[in-house]
Amino acid sequence: FHVPSSDPHPDEHAINQRLTELRDHWGRNHKVCDAFPHLEVTMGQKAKDIIATDGGEMMISSLVYEPIWFLEQYFDNLIAFTNKSTVVVAHLSLLSNYSEEDVERLVKHHPRLLVNCHRYFTHQYHGSLAHAHLRNIGWALQLGLNFTHYVLMASNSWFIKRGMEEYVRYHSSSLQDSPVGRRWVHRYSIADIPTEPRGGWDEKSVSSRIWAWKPMQSIVANHVPEGEEHNFLTFAKHEGSFFPFPLMVRLYRALEADDNGLESMLQQKVYLEESLFATWTDHHRAEAGRRTGHSMTYHHCQSQGWGGETTAHVTPAQIRGILPLEGVFAVKCVGRHPEDFDGTRAWLRDLALKSLT
């Protein structure tokens, strides 16, 4: 859990303190808190039921850390706007307090929700987020599940209309750039990236730290792709992005087979999730699908973190303007504050009920 202290991260003290607490509590080599051992039986049976019915076509991977009352509303949204063949696999942060009873009620209430019983440290602007998303893939495989596509979502990105499955099925991956709703995709040539990792959050600083992560060089972007002149990293907003599930399984297996591939992600103070999945897919274009599309999430604003969205949240009026946009099925950011400023979450619940009738 060592985190280098040279990077002037705005939340550096909080990250280092959390990692120190975890290291002291679980031991230097114990990175997994298997907090829900009794739920593994429930999850296993649920997975069998899924295989016996629709089999599961698409997997939504989501990371959460909020209170149970918020998770109830969030998973209500994911389930309401998706088809019966879509399964939600959720990772509950190790840093949040959940009782096994609360989680069991949550799972029983949402028939297509599977909770990853292995919980890891997660923090914003940190490699632990991409790590947890990959662990969700591993959990799905452990349960015997297989899917055609893998969709990334976040707890402040909520669906606003149905139809995402047809869009994902047609486009297969989300590597197309769009200025509408900040659904951008950018490539950075390796030749233009600083050779030494440096602090800061400008594009070159971020790319320097991502490239300095050894598995990025040895596994993810270890060659110049066929038909390209230069090697590169690809950056894209991860919320609402989607990729072929078999390709993501290959990424997970490759990092799992590396001596420190997965665990080293917990040491990276940079948002790997914005580059890892897109770079891997962009380096395997032949398997990414010929009609690659855009991310499905309209990025209206940036989250302020738990309880901080007094102003930085999308409103019902703004969502009405976003709804007609083609290829947009979700919006960020939906406020997490208990007060539900502007009634956005309540409005989305009503919208979900209308979509079901």
Side-chain angles (χ1 to χ4, degrees):
F1 282 106
H2 171 67
V3 175
S5 59
S6 58
D7 175 24
H9 191 286
D11 295 311
E12 179 178 358
H13 177 72
I15 291 176
N16 288 337
Q17 184 177 13
R18 289 293 196 180
L19 288 173
T20 300
E21 292 172 357
L22 286 175
R23 182 192 63 206
D24 293 343
H25 187 68
W26 297 106
R28 290 182 180 273
N29 298 318
H30 193 118
K31 297 182 174 63
V32 179
C33 172
D34 196 357
F36 304 134
H38 302 299
L39 275 180
E40 291 199 27
V41 176
T42 303
M43 294 300 100
Q45 184 57 54
K46 244 186 148 176
K48 290 179 180 177
D49 293 341
I50 289 170
I51 294 171
T53 54
D54 296 305
E57 180 186 11
M58 298 187 188
M59 168 182 162
I60 294 177
S61 176
S62 188
L63 316 182
V64 298
Y65 67 94
E66 298 85 353
I68 287 290
W69 67 261
F70 180 89
L71 301 189
E72 293 269 6
Q73 298 179 20
Y74 172 60
F75 292 128
D76 279 349
N77 175 269
L78 295 192
I79 298 299
F81 284 103
T82 54
N83 294 343
K84 291 182 178 179
S85 60
T86 296
V87 177
V88 178
V89 179
H91 175 274
L92 278 60
S93 178
L94 177 59
L95 302 185
S96 298
N97 294 320
Y98 301 108
S99 71
E100 196 159 9
E101 293 74 20
D102 283 341
V103 176
E104 189 158 15
R105 284 195 298 270
L106 188 71
V107 168
K108 287 182 178 179
H109 181 65
H110 300 91
R112 290 184 280 116
L113 170 64
L114 293 171
V115 168
N116 189 339
C117 291
H118 299 162
R119 299 173 61 196
Y120 297 83
F121 162 83
T122 58
H123 198 287
Q124 61 183 354
Y125 306 118
H126 196 266
S128 56
L129 298 183
H131 172 262
H133 275 299
L134 285 170
R135 291 295 186 179
N136 278 350
I137 294 175
W139 178 244
L141 295 174
Q142 183 177 328
L143 292 176
L145 292 168
N146 192 23
F147 303 93
T148 60
H149 292 88
Y150 177 74
V151 180
L152 292 160
M153 288 292 282
S155 55
N156 64 349
S157 299
W158 289 36
F159 284 117
I160 59 175
K161 63 186 176 187
R162 297 181 62 83
M164 79 91 176
E165 287 89 355
E166 183 179 356
Y167 184 83
V168 171
R169 202 177 297 122
Y170 181 81
H171 291 284
S172 193
S173 63
S174 53
L175 292 177
Q176 285 296 315
D177 181 57
S178 174
V180 178
R182 297 175 64 212
R183 296 178 294 157
W184 48 261
V185 178
H186 297 314
R187 280 185 178 182
Y188 293 101
S189 172
I190 299 300
D192 296 331
I193 296 175
T195 55
E196 294 294 327
R198 64 192 195 189
W201 294 95
D202 60 280
E203 293 176 351
K204 286 200 171 183
S205 297
V206 169
S207 60
S208 74
R209 297 204 297 280
I210 289 178
W211 183 241
W213 177 50
K214 296 304 181 185
M216 184 62 76
Q217 300 181 28
S218 62
I219 297 173
V220 183
N222 60 2
H223 66 285
V224 179
E226 184 178 353
E228 302 289 343
E229 295 182 1
H230 308 285
N231 200 0
F232 55 85
L233 300 181
T234 305
F235 286 78
K237 286 290 186 181
H238 75 283
E239 302 95 333
S241 61
F242 55 93
F243 309 99
F245 186 75
L247 192 57
M248 295 298 100
V249 170
R250 282 178 53 195
L251 172 61
Y252 170 76
R253 294 296 193 201
L255 290 170
E256 183 186 39
D258 187 79
D259 288 342
N260 199 31
L262 289 172
E263 285 75 13
S264 64
M265 300 173 76
L266 294 171
Q267 303 170 13
Q268 309 307 311
K269 288 198 290 182
V270 66
Y271 35 83
L272 290 176
E273 75 279 5
E274 306 282 74
S275 179
L276 173 61
F277 303 101
T279 299
W280 175 260
T281 305
D282 213 2
H283 276 67
H284 296 82
R285 276 280 184 160
E287 300 165 67
R290 291 176 297 173
R291 297 183 292 266
T292 182
H294 309 292
S295 162
M296 297 182 290
T297 296
Y298 186 104
H299 292 261
H300 176 268
C301 56
Q302 185 65 29
S303 171
Q304 299 273 325
W306 167 248
E309 292 101 337
T310 54
T311 56
H313 63 273
V314 66
T315 67
Q318 291 161 340
I319 296 175
R320 290 189 190 97
I322 296 169
L323 273 170
L325 296 176
E326 185 178 354
V328 174
F329 297 90
V331 66
K332 176 184 175 180
C333 58
V334 174
R336 301 181 177 101
H337 198 282
E339 194 170 325
D340 190 18
F341 298 103
D342 292 298
T344 301
R345 294 196 304 270
W347 187 84
L348 284 172
R349 286 197 297 273
D350 291 340
L351 189 65
L353 289 173
K354 293 175 183 177
S355 75
L356 295 173
T357 58

